[in-house]
Amino acid sequence: MLLPDFNSEREKEKYFRSLNDEQKIDALNEMISDTEHIAFLGGAGVSTESGIPDFRSKDGLYHRKDKKFGRYKPEYLLSYDCLDNRPSVFFDYFRNNLDCRKIKPNDAHKKLAEMEKAGKLDGVITQNIDGLHQKAGSRKVWEIHGSALRSYCVSCHTEYGEDFIFENKEDVPHCPACGKMVRPDVTLYGEFLPQRAYEEAVALIRYSDLLIIGGTSLEVGSAAQLAHMYHGKYMVIINKGKTKMEGKADLVFHDSIGKVMNMIEI
Ligand SMILES: [Zn+2]
């Protein structure tokens, strides 16, 4: 199948809406060979297939009843307010729920790394903090919510590796260099996104002519904002559930991200 030239948005929409599942995969592959600058924007759903719980889904962290932390809202436990006022509670929760050091990348991560290597992907923008894209081999990754595998001292800004917080025996880990607190390099509720990563993500989105969005419902926050900034040639959404911007997308797959990505041929 070769994608036709479309005379209008309406014609383009009609064409893509008429495709069956198999034709949609062919169309996705056509888009990939037809475009020069491809970006991937991913949310929690990319990691759930590696076994990392989503924050808001039914079985996600947000709904998990935990005796020890039951009196706090999960949003509070991952907030700057908690880190600042109840640091021992914050680190206890963080160590118990966000240790992703042993988690392995899945087919979606692997395919994206393969695409980058083949020169078919300009970069991955992710809301996930698990470092799985890098583990799969991706180099061009913009982590707009930071990474749980990095930490830094709040005072002297010395950076520490992925084991520092998780292996540290203190309730609140302290910097060996200056004695102040070492915190994870993740964006907490109540904090601004890392400005440089976000600005570079915006540039990547604006430069792309194919944007593949995966594993996010695009309901809130930064992923939705970024998706709205995209004005390139094709947009593809892969998500198990419904998403907000399906009207703007050319192709929508309500399916496992790993399964769909696996059918990409490069
Ligand atoms: Zn320090």
Side-chain angles (χ1 to χ4, degrees), residues 12-20 246-252:
K12 184 177 166 207
E13 192 183 326
K14 211 174 150 194
Y15 175 81
F16 284 116
R17 293 286 179 271
S18 73
L19 303 179
N20 64 30
E246 292 182 7
K248 197 182 167 186
D250 300 300
L251 288 174
V252 178

Side-chain angles (χ1 to χ4, degrees), residues 153-158 160 175-182:
C153 169
V154 297
S155 179
C156 72
H157 303 287
T158 302
Y160 294 96
C175 173
C178 77
K180 294 287 198 259
M181 181 172 73
V182 173

Side-chain angles (χ1 to χ4, degrees), residues 98-167:
L98 289 137
D99 185 357
C100 44
R101 288 173 297 166
K102 290 199 169 72
I103 310 265
K104 295 199 164 54
N106 61 51
D107 287 349
H109 300 106
K110 288 177 196 164
K111 180 63 74 170
L112 288 162
E114 214 181 293
M115 287 171 70
E116 182 191 308
K117 221 172 174 182
K120 282 310 303 184
L121 185 73
D122 284 0
V124 169
I125 301 162
T126 181
Q127 296 180 290
N128 300 330
I129 57 170
D130 47 44
L132 288 175
H133 288 291
Q134 291 91 332
K135 266 189 201 167
S138 286
R139 293 288 165 265
K140 296 173 188 166
V141 183
W142 282 268
E143 295 170 310
I144 55 174
H145 290 171
S147 173
L149 301 181
R150 293 191 302 267
S151 52
Y152 66 92
C153 169
V154 297
S155 179
C156 72
H157 303 287
T158 302
E159 291 173 18
Y160 294 96
E162 62 178 52
D163 292 330
F164 190 87
I165 288 176
F166 296 112
E167 300 295 331

Side-chain angles (χ1 to χ4, degrees), residues 31-236:
M31 285 176 181
I32 290 168
S33 56
D34 185 39
T35 47
E36 294 288 318
H37 297 287
I38 305 174
F40 179 84
L41 170 63
V46 178
S47 292
T48 48
E49 290 175 31
S50 284
I52 291 184
D54 183 355
F55 195 65
R56 288 177 188 281
S57 72
K58 195 162 66 56
D59 303 316
L61 283 183
Y62 198 84
H63 297 282
R64 198 185 275 179
K65 290 278 174 266
D66 194 321
K67 235 182 182 174
K68 200 165 163 191
F69 303 104
R71 73 183 112 147
Y72 306 108
K73 284 189 166 176
E75 269 168 4
Y76 175 76
L77 291 160
L78 292 172
S79 70
Y80 180 75
D81 191 6
C82 183
L83 176 71
D84 198 33
N85 293 305
R86 292 190 178 86
S88 56
V89 173
F90 174 88
F91 282 103
D92 196 9
Y93 185 78
F94 189 82
R95 285 171 175 136
N96 276 292
N97 289 284
L98 289 137
D99 185 357
C100 44
R101 288 173 297 166
K102 290 199 169 72
I103 310 265
K104 295 199 164 54
N106 61 51
D107 287 349
H109 300 106
K110 288 177 196 164
K111 180 63 74 170
L112 288 162
E114 214 181 293
M115 287 171 70
E116 182 191 308
K117 221 172 174 182
K120 282 310 303 184
L121 185 73
D122 284 0
V124 169
I125 301 162
T126 181
Q127 296 180 290
N128 300 330
I129 57 170
D130 47 44
L132 288 175
H133 288 291
Q134 291 91 332
K135 266 189 201 167
S138 286
R139 293 288 165 265
K140 296 173 188 166
V141 183
W142 282 268
E143 295 170 310
I144 55 174
H145 290 171
S147 173
L149 301 181
R150 293 191 302 267
S151 52
Y152 66 92
C153 169
V154 297
S155 179
C156 72
H157 303 287
T158 302
E159 291 173 18
Y160 294 96
E162 62 178 52
D163 292 330
F164 190 87
I165 288 176
F166 296 112
E167 300 295 331
N168 192 293
K169 300 291 178 233
E170 299 173 291
D171 282 359
V172 177
H174 287 94
C175 173
C178 77
K180 294 287 198 259
M181 181 172 73
V182 173
R183 61 161 287 177
D185 189 7
V186 300
T187 309
L188 303 172
Y189 285 94
E191 291 188 311
F192 291 109
L193 298 183
Q195 202 187 345
R196 196 170 144 198
Y198 186 73
E199 281 170 7
E200 288 176 0
V202 170
L204 187 66
I205 293 266
R206 294 215 159 120
Y207 194 60
S208 309
D209 46 11
L210 168 58
L211 177 64
I212 304 174
I213 302 173
T216 164
S217 58
L218 294 173
E219 269 182 26
V220 283
S222 42
Q225 272 175 30
L226 286 167
H228 277 290
M229 290 179 198
Y230 176 70
H231 300 291
K233 195 169 179 186
Y234 302 117
M235 183 195 270
V236 176

